[in-house]
Amino acid sequence: MKKMKELTLLLSIMLIVSMFSSVAADAAAPQGISHSNMMPVDKIANHGSTMVELPDGTLFSVWFNGNGERDGNLTKLIGSRSKDGGTTWTEPFVVYDTWDFPDNNPVLFVDSQQRLWLFYGVIYNGQWVSTQTKFMYADMGNYEYAARNGGNAKWHYPQPLYTNVGEGMFGEGKYVNGQWTYGIKGAEIKFVNPNSVTAATYLDPSQYVPVTTRFGGATRYITDSFVVQMRNKYEAYVAYLKSAKPYDDVYAGRTDEIITMLTTGVSVKEPSIMKNSIERSSGADNDVNTWGPIYRRLGWQTKNKPIEVTLADGVTKRLILPLYSDSLANSVCAYTDDHGITWKFSDPIVGSGTIQGSLIQKQDGTIRGYFRSGKLDGRNGRMAWHTTYSESADYGATWSVPKVDPYLKNDGGFELSKLPNGDWLLASNQETSRSAVKPKQDGNRNSFSLLLSSDEGLTWKPIMVKDGMNNGESYEYPSVVVDRAGNALMNYTYKMPASGGEDRTIGFSRIASSEIGMLFDSVLTATYGAGSSLSMDSVTMLPSMELKVGDTSQLTYNLTVGGQSSYASVDTLTLTSDMPAVAVTNPATGIVQAMAPGTAMITAVSNRYGTICKFIVKVTQ
């Protein structure tokens, strides 16, 4: 009996120790990625969210909400605030509503003088080409949570950002005293009559662009700097594509297809991007005011936050705002050195439909802009989803000919931010299906990734913030900001399948500063059968396994976080196959079944930590 009591006491002590050990282990476990919603779900458009941390430590987010995007006359800007780091959010409130016109693509920013800026676009006639960029601002004392009772800021009245890129309306040039001169007033874009150019009145071909109007067939030599720079940069970009072949990582010949799209077009309905953007910027396709620069003065849109840099004098602060035009399929940067009193504009940034740029400054002072690949008139789908990047060595005034990033891809909007240690973060829909299997590059907004670069964009590490491949959820236009504590804060358009359509809200995700490095260093591995390791595939450079049609194999996953390794049960993972007709994975058991000859990529994601494991299943008869 005494021994039985001693054994019972010992077991009780062991149980208590075990319980405390478990609690201690759980307490020490990283929190991982937390999620919340900024508003109740509804069926109407909620999109284009932006977010900022205010000086009082609260978060402020704005997005557009209504019955459409460019054609929703009830669409307005609404916002919400959080006092607890994004765990809970206030009831949404109206930030601004241009009556009977849609407002969209808001951008928030707090500058070094603690002025809160809000940039956005007003669409005048239901087309992106009619967008007018505007801005409002609120100074300290007019936007803090307590000062506004958790509601809207007290804004200065909206002001238009007049985008007068190029020289504007100078009219016809005349050759006088050995040089081409222009008046100070004209009803048309700057040009020279081709008949005026002779051996005696020479004009360097690099200084003009021959453009033919669609109305009447007249041809002019356009000498406006914006048009000339656009043409020269396009030609340099095409030369780069021909030499580097950067799109051939999709499949052999893909770069040549991109060049065709740029230079000659695919069909009557999909003409040359170069030709159309040059004609449009020249006014050659405007039957209301032919040769007028209206398509360069309207149509510029916001998407991502500006950056503020210090100029070479060590004192002057420059605010640089990226703008893009779906109409022209390119971007510019607007910048101000006097706190928004006056604005100037950069030269054009052209490439594979370079739109929706996000800017970041390198340690050497160079500014790099990453751009989504788009298409003229905003019609998505015919460009590969590679991002391109361009650099400015003069604080955003001029930009280099873009290059295609060898790793970054995205279907839709994305955004960059910088950690306190100088590392870069990028929120995007990066984790797409393999492009060799899906050559049309239709993209994938059913997954949302956060990527980290410790070498200023040379290499990137991804974690998955959200994966909706199995449940049909999508996460669009993700953005990321880093607060003063170094936490990564993300928001995005969150869509969920529902009866009668889809439910929409604005999603929020957060990673604590103390865990960012830990999560990006975490590792998820897979073994199969009796603990066999996967071999490396020489083509995809991913682990791989081989099965015959009809075979099944049990996959086991191991997760290492913060140096601690443990078995990862499948109920803590999201398991998907990019080619279920070839091989499927059972999300409840982790068993992989071979269905048909071919290859399938299996992706496993830790729902808590975002750690990604990918491997290839090769199926033979």
Side-chain angles (χ1 to χ4, degrees):
M1 180 67 70
K2 182 178 180 181
K3 289 185 178 180
M4 180 62 71
K5 290 182 178 179
E6 290 176 347
L7 179 59
T8 302
L9 178 62
L10 178 61
L11 290 173
S12 298
I13 293 172
M14 291 174 65
L15 178 60
I16 293 171
V17 171
S18 174
M19 289 173 61
F20 275 103
S21 298
S22 176
V23 171
D26 289 343
Q31 175 185 342
I33 308 170
S34 61
H35 307 284
S36 64
N37 292 338
M38 292 185 179
M39 59 170 289
V41 297
D42 62 24
K43 303 286 186 184
I44 62 177
N46 289 284
H47 196 38
S49 56
T50 180
M51 180 169 51
V52 70
E53 181 191 27
L54 299 176
D56 64 2
T58 62
L59 302 179
F60 184 27
S61 182
V62 177
W63 61 95
F64 67 84
N65 162 275
N67 60 336
E69 293 189 8
R70 64 186 179 277
D71 53 356
N73 61 323
L74 301 180
T75 299
K76 57 189 176 296
L77 303 182
I78 64 173
S80 182
R81 296 186 186 241
S82 175
K83 296 178 66 174
D84 54 15
T87 301
T88 60
W89 293 84
T90 63
E91 185 75 18
F93 50 84
V94 175
V95 173
Y96 195 76
D97 183 10
T98 305
W99 182 251
D100 211 27
F101 290 86
D103 304 297
N104 71 5
N105 283 13
V107 174
L108 289 170
F109 185 74
V110 176
D111 67 16
S112 58
Q113 298 186 43
Q114 296 187 323
R115 170 175 284 184
L116 172 65
W117 295 83
L118 172 61
F119 299 91
Y120 64 102
V122 179
I123 296 85
Y124 289 141
N125 74 339
Q127 297 174 303
W128 295 127
V129 70
S130 68
T131 304
Q132 168 73 71
T133 298
K134 294 190 176 184
F135 66 90
M136 303 187 293
Y137 62 85
D139 290 314
M140 179 67 80
N142 293 307
Y143 59 75
E144 294 87 342
Y145 193 102
R148 304 303 298 168
N149 195 29
N152 194 20
K154 183 178 180 181
W155 302 100
H156 285 258
Y157 197 74
Q159 301 179 43
L161 203 165
Y162 294 112
T163 47
N164 189 22
V165 298
E167 278 94 25
M169 301 175 73
F170 277 69
E172 184 176 359
K174 303 296 183 182
Y175 195 78
V176 180
N177 297 326
Q179 62 181 359
W180 291 97
T181 61
Y182 299 84
I184 61 173
K185 179 182 179 182
E188 298 170 328
I189 192 174
K190 190 177 178 183
F191 75 98
V192 167
N193 191 316
N195 295 330
S196 300
V197 179
T198 66
T201 60
Y202 179 72
L203 182 62
D204 190 323
S206 66
Q207 301 300 311
Y208 68 86
V209 182
V211 179
T212 303
T213 177
R214 299 180 184 180
F215 312 103
T219 299
R220 291 181 173 183
Y221 289 169
I222 304 299
T223 53
D224 178 88
S225 63
F226 186 83
V227 179
V228 173
Q229 290 166 347
M230 184 189 301
R231 190 275 313 275
N232 292 346
K233 283 191 170 186
Y234 267 133
E235 291 182 347
Y237 181 68
V238 170
Y240 153 72
L241 292 181
K242 290 179 178 178
S243 173
K245 300 285 185 181
Y247 287 101
D248 279 15
D249 66 334
V250 180
Y251 50 80
R254 179 59 176 166
T255 301
D256 290 337
E257 292 178 359
I258 299 294
I259 293 171
T260 296
M261 296 173 192
L262 286 168
T263 57
T264 61
V266 178
S267 65
V268 173
K269 292 184 178 180
E270 300 209 25
S272 160
I273 289 179
M274 288 175 56
K275 182 175 183 292
N276 269 22
S277 58
I278 288 172
E279 285 183 355
R280 181 157 288 181
S281 65
S282 303
D285 67 343
N286 184 352
D287 60 350
V288 176
N289 183 24
T290 308
W291 307 115
I294 187 62
Y295 291 132
R296 298 210 316 267
R297 294 182 170 181
L298 290 177
W300 296 105
Q301 302 178 71
T302 49
K303 167 57 183 72
N304 291 314
K305 60 181 177 289
I307 63 171
E308 190 177 43
V309 300
T310 304
L311 301 188
D313 62 10
V315 178
T316 305
K317 300 291 187 181
R318 173 172 290 181
L319 190 67
I320 309 172
L321 176 70
L323 298 172
Y324 75 97
S325 169
D326 271 331
S327 174
L328 303 182
N330 62 36
S331 290
V332 297
C333 283
Y335 57 93
T336 177
D337 300 338
D338 53 18
H339 216 42
I341 297 173
T342 60
W343 293 86
K344 296 180 180 179
F345 299 91
S346 74
D347 62 356
I349 307 167
V350 306
S352 301
T354 43
I355 62 172
Q356 296 184 349
S358 184
L359 309 180
I360 198 162
Q361 189 171 32
K362 299 169 67 175
Q363 291 182 357
D364 66 2
T366 302
I367 300 171
R368 175 173 288 191
Y370 285 90
F371 300 88
R372 168 187 174 186
S373 290
K375 178 185 176 296
L376 196 67
D377 296 323
R379 187 173 157 213
N380 302 322
R382 82 176 187 182
M383 285 295 187
W385 296 117
H386 295 60
T387 65
T388 53
Y389 65 89
S390 176
E391 293 189 337
S392 174
D394 55 8
Y395 307 102
T398 61
W399 291 84
S400 66
V401 174
K403 293 184 178 180
V404 177
D405 190 275
Y407 180 71
L408 296 177
K409 299 181 181 181
N410 195 63
D411 175 13
F414 61 89
E415 190 174 45
L416 286 155
S417 196
K418 186 182 291 187
L419 289 167
N421 67 357
D423 288 352
W424 297 359
L425 292 177
L426 186 143
S428 77
N429 304 113
Q430 171 75 16
E431 299 302 318
T432 59
S433 300
R434 291 172 299 154
S435 32
V437 175
K438 301 179 75 176
K440 291 185 179 179
Q441 290 284 285
D442 56 352
N444 180 8
R445 298 185 183 185
N446 298 112
S447 64
F448 163 30
S449 304
L450 187 67
L451 295 93
L452 179 141
S453 176
S454 299
D455 50 18
E456 297 190 318
L458 293 177
T459 59
W460 296 86
K461 293 180 180 179
I463 59 175
M464 191 88 79
V465 179
K466 284 274 193 174
D467 189 349
M469 291 295 291
N470 290 332
N471 59 22
E473 292 182 350
S474 66
Y475 322 98
E476 302 180 2
Y477 277 46
S479 68
V480 59
V481 297
V482 177
D483 65 16
R484 289 189 295 278
N487 304 307
L489 312 175
M490 298 154 278
N491 57 355
Y492 44 91
T493 301
Y494 186 9
K495 296 181 179 180
M496 297 147 280
S499 59
E502 61 185 7
D503 288 334
R504 303 184 181 193
T505 184
I506 301 297
F508 172 85
S509 299
R510 179 183 184 274
I511 303 176
S513 60
S514 60
E515 297 185 3
I516 290 176
M518 189 184 306
L519 266 58
F520 277 101
D521 287 338
S522 62
V523 178
L524 183 63
T525 58
T527 57
Y528 68 100
S532 301
S533 297
L534 303 174
S535 58
M536 187 61 65
D537 178 62
S538 59
V539 176
T540 62
M541 299 307 295
L542 291 173
S544 67
M545 59 184 295
E546 296 186 7
L547 296 175
K548 291 185 177 180
V549 174
D551 286 351
T552 61
S553 183
Q554 175 69 59
L555 270 291
T556 303
Y557 296 91
N558 189 78
L559 178 64
T560 302
V561 181
Q564 300 295 317
S565 297
S566 61
Y567 163 73
S569 59
V570 293
D571 62 353
T572 68
L573 306 173
T574 295
L575 305 175
T576 60
S577 169
D578 75 334
M579 292 292 288
V582 174
V584 294
T585 178
N586 189 317
T589 64
I591 294 175
V592 173
Q593 181 174 2
M595 308 297 290
T599 63
M601 182 174 69
I602 305 298
T603 302
V605 178
S606 168
N607 297 324
R608 183 172 183 179
Y609 304 119
T611 317
I612 303 169
C613 173
K614 296 181 179 181
F615 59 91
I616 300 297
V617 180
K618 301 178 180 179
V619 181
T620 59
Q621 284 286 5

